[in-house]
Amino acid sequence: MNREQRIRAELFHQLHTGPAPLMLPNAWDAASARVIENAGAKAIATTSAGMAWSLGYPDGERLPVQELLAACRRVCQVVSAPVSVDIERGYGHDVQDTGDLVGELIRLGVVGINIEDGTEPGTQTLAHPSVLCERIARVRKTAQLRDLPFFINARIDTYLSNLSPEARLEETRKRALAYVDAGAEGIFVPGLADAEDIATLVGLLPVPLNVYAGYPGAPAAQALQQLGVRRISLGCGPMQAALAHLGTIAAEALDNGRYDTMGERMLTPAEANGLFFGRRNEVELISASM
């Protein structure tokens, strides 16, 4: 860890306290990361589902760790913005595996993670919160040993589980506070969409609340900001949209022999090359000094 990485880590923390929520259109590879950064993103966060799909795997920690690390290395090589990586439930069988993974990510230049409690495989039953507490604590220790202000965003899957609507908010609160005590500095609750629940949770949490907006009809950023939300993730939504658009382009060409959809909006070769010319060399110089 060097001074540049510490600066990016500190910036990532600051972005959660700005005048507007931190908006994260999540990336799935180096090209999407550069497109998102070039569009004005202040930070880059990966989508675990999108990254897995881009490499030919289903979501759910099916992506081998070494392929995950290789993909994250390529992202870190082409962007200068802070990078946070979604590591799902932490990979591996125990906290040591999670700690080792985070150590490798830090070595690549990553300054934060998203890590979830999730549900038991094949069910909608939530994993016991102690599992994620232990992994968060190990990640925090791993970062402290490297003297890096690493941002841990803890995802809580209560609103995706088989809990009753009446029990979800209270269980979310209890888990969130336990994860914060373990070392989390942000709480992410996918599936949380009710304005009253969002506002209530914001008032109960001592750390920023992250919501998911990668679906049609999601509340606008301004509405979420008024409720107190500090971070908005689009998750795998951008890749889902990109894949659907590609399907439309392919079907139009195959079925009609036309290319209208493709031609409506596309980068020129010069514009695409411009995303990377000079950018990769600059970042590699920074990485080499870590």
Side-chain angles (χ1 to χ4, degrees), residues 162-258:
N162 56 7
L163 285 177
S164 69
E166 296 76 21
R168 287 173 179 170
L169 184 61
E170 176 59 17
E171 183 64 22
T172 302
R173 183 194 68 83
K174 291 193 296 185
R175 286 176 179 254
L177 295 179
Y179 299 156
V180 170
D181 285 344
E185 293 164 306
I187 295 296
F188 179 33
V189 188
L192 175 64
D194 180 78
E196 184 176 345
D197 280 4
I198 291 173
T200 299
L201 200 53
V202 165
L204 294 172
L205 295 181
V207 298
L209 177 65
N210 181 185
V211 301
Y212 176 65
Y215 59 93
Q222 184 177 6
L224 293 173
Q225 179 180 353
Q226 291 172 349
L227 294 172
V229 172
R230 302 306 312 147
R231 173 167 162 170
I232 301 170
S233 298
L234 302 192
C236 53
M239 187 185 189
Q240 289 173 271
L243 291 176
H245 191 60
L246 175 59
T248 299
I249 291 171
E252 185 180 59
L254 294 167
D255 297 341
N256 304 320
R258 298 188 63 84

Side-chain angles (χ1 to χ4, degrees), residues 60-83:
E61 293 191 0
R62 306 293 183 88
L63 178 64
V65 171
Q66 291 307 313
E67 292 199 43
L68 168 67
L69 289 170
C72 292
R73 179 181 297 108
R74 288 189 286 271
V75 170
C76 290
Q77 284 174 339
V78 300
V79 301
S80 57
V83 175

Side-chain angles (χ1 to χ4, degrees), residues 118-138:
T119 55
E120 296 296 344
T123 75
Q124 285 188 299
T125 303
L126 286 165
H128 196 277
S130 64
V131 177
L132 185 52
C133 283
E134 291 172 358
R135 293 188 187 243
I136 290 171
R138 175 55 64 93

